Amino acid sequence: MPDSAREQIQKHLVTGDNRLKQGVAPEKARESYEQALELAREAGIEEAVRPLVELRLADLERLGRGPAPPAPPAA
């Protein structure tokens, strides 16, 4: 695989991770992860990258079902 493809895949994975850390909409992080997977598919290394993307997507799903918001303080 050319270094440029590897770098682009890594860039998309890191961008998605950073978007989550910065509180950006989870859909934007998902887009980055899916772009990384698409690049991996085009580069012929989808099987190597898919587990990384699947873990991140599972984390997104888990975060989406996060705990209920805290109750407002009693007055």
Side-chain angles (χ1 to χ4, degrees), residues 14-66:
V14 170
T15 297
D17 293 347
N18 287 339
R19 285 176 166 169
L20 282 180
K21 289 177 190 173
Q22 295 167 359
V24 176
E27 296 81 25
K28 291 291 188 182
R30 177 180 298 280
E31 286 176 17
S32 294
Y33 298 146
E34 289 174 351
Q35 288 171 343
L37 189 58
E38 180 61 31
L39 285 170
R41 189 175 296 123
E42 291 171 5
I45 59 161
E46 180 179 2
E47 293 306 314
V49 175
R50 179 174 290 285
L52 300 173
V53 172
E54 286 178 349
L55 282 173
R56 286 167 166 86
L57 293 176
D59 284 346
L60 278 178
E61 292 298 320
R62 183 177 46 79
L63 290 171
R65 293 188 312 261

Side-chain angles (χ1 to χ4, degrees), residues 1-21:
M1 166 177 61
D3 286 340
S4 62
R6 181 178 294 123
E7 290 169 5
Q8 288 297 312
I9 292 166
Q10 183 177 11
K11 177 184 166 200
H12 285 296
L13 292 174
V14 170
T15 297
D17 293 347
N18 287 339
R19 285 176 166 169
L20 282 180
K21 289 177 190 173

